Amino acid sequence: MILFRQAASLHFYLEKQRTNRNLIGFIPTMGALHAGHESLITAAKENSDITVCSIFINPTQFNNAVDFEKYPVTISEDILKLESIDCDVLFLPSVNEIYPNGTTATTHYDLDYTELVLEGKYRPGHFQGVCQVVHRLLEIVQPHKLFLGQKDYQQSLIIKKLIAQLQMQINAIICPTLREKGGLAMSSRNLRLSLPQLQNAAAIYEALTRIQNGLATGLPQQLEEHATEYLLQHGFDKVDYVSITDAKTLLPVTQWNGNDPLVILAAAFIGEVRLIDNFFVDTTPLAAHSQPILN
Ligand code: AMP
């Protein structure tokens, strides 16, 4: 694996790869890598010639200073993991390398209502920060394919929108969420949970499962309320949202027709750690529970 810290040298290296007609697959991450990240790298390796992973904890997407300060950092372990799965390139930039003009002189992106609902409502400015870093990384790497996790469903939709707005020829591929045995979605933030908290955290998966099982007969609003109650009774301290939405628009669904693809999303705190998860619900014959949307 080749490690680059400077944007210009990575860009120069990848320019040569493109000239040699190598397909570049890219996986942006914030590190503290787990099997979920590794699955994206494996998907990239299977679908491209050169796999580039970046690790950068992006300050502009954190609206909570404590969350930023306590975000897990495990660079040495991350490098070993990446080498063990044969990742070709790691980009490990400094803040200056990503934001040469500082973190305040940044572009504003027109994301309409999608940046104001769900995560956007509870993390104001978060998606502007996501777009700032992703735009810069995409300009540096110029990948043919971008591998994203369904775990961050709203983020994936917003990045697709960004790519379309920038008119970049990048195929964004959304990969399924990897889970622990009890169903808890793998997340770098899980490292901040104590053992009892970790056991309780699986309730978010249970709550989503309950909604999914109730969809055929229950009203969405009631299912959301019951799921919120369930989380509060099973170790979660605060629920930001549990929401049944249209999978394309992320608008709330008040009455489901049984056909349109849905996504059920939840965000809730255990102590000061905020976890998110979602299920994709598609009733078309080949679709299965929590499956990826590939394009
Ligand atoms: P992060 O390091 O949290 O910014 O995540 C980097 C990428 O990995 C994003 O596209 C995430 O959606 C994806 N990701 C995070 N957790 C998982 C998971 N459990 N399974 C699959 N992909 C994931």
Side-chain angles (χ1 to χ4, degrees), residues 35-89:
H37 296 115
E38 287 175 25
S39 72
L40 301 190
I41 290 158
T42 305
K45 282 194 71 70
E46 285 166 1
N47 292 285
S48 31
D49 302 311
I50 300 284
T51 297
V52 181
C53 173
S54 66
I55 297 181
F56 179 66
I57 304 179
N58 174 35
T60 68
Q61 73 185 67
F62 285 84
N63 58 315
N64 176 328
V66 177
D67 191 27
F68 179 54
E69 278 156 29
K70 297 204 173 165
Y71 199 85
V73 179
T74 60
I75 291 295
S76 318
E77 290 95 324
D78 291 352
I79 291 176
L80 289 177
K81 277 184 188 159
L82 291 171
E83 288 204 310
S84 75
I85 54 171
D86 275 338
C87 181
D88 301 304
V89 172

Side-chain angles (χ1 to χ4, degrees), residues 90-104:
L90 169 60
F91 183 39
L92 199 56
S94 63
V95 173
N96 266 348
E97 205 63 28
I98 296 295
Y99 295 107
N101 302 320
T103 50
T104 45

Side-chain angles (χ1 to χ4, degrees), residues 143-258:
H144 300 90
K145 297 177 185 182
L146 177 68
F147 294 84
L148 303 166
Q150 188 203 314
K151 162 88 183 351
D152 298 277
Y153 186 81
Q154 188 176 7
Q155 172 174 286
S156 306
L157 291 193
I158 284 181
I159 292 175
K160 281 187 166 195
K161 189 177 270 196
L162 175 74
I163 291 171
Q165 279 179 12
L166 297 171
Q167 299 184 322
M168 289 179 129
Q169 299 304 309
I170 298 170
N171 184 8
I173 296 160
I174 305 182
C175 301
T177 302
L178 256 71
R179 299 178 178 281
E180 306 289 353
K181 266 203 193 101
L184 173 66
M186 291 180 182
S187 164
S188 306
R189 286 187 176 87
N190 294 352
L191 289 176
R192 293 183 55 201
L193 299 173
S194 67
L195 202 57
Q197 286 177 325
L198 206 51
Q199 280 155 356
N200 287 336
I204 200 162
Y205 174 79
E206 297 297 333
L208 294 175
T209 306
R210 282 168 164 248
I211 295 185
Q212 179 168 262
N213 294 342
L215 273 174
T217 49
L219 279 177
Q221 200 190 330
Q222 272 175 3
L223 294 169
E224 289 166 0
E225 284 167 10
H226 289 162
T228 302
E229 269 312 296
Y230 182 87
L231 287 172
L232 293 172
Q233 284 165 4
H234 289 80
F236 277 81
D237 298 294
K238 187 176 145 214
V239 178
D240 274 354
Y241 59 83
V242 174
S243 191
I244 303 171
T245 71
D246 180 282
K248 289 199 188 95
T249 63
L250 287 182
L251 292 173
V253 169
T254 47
Q255 194 116 39
W256 189 39
N257 61 14

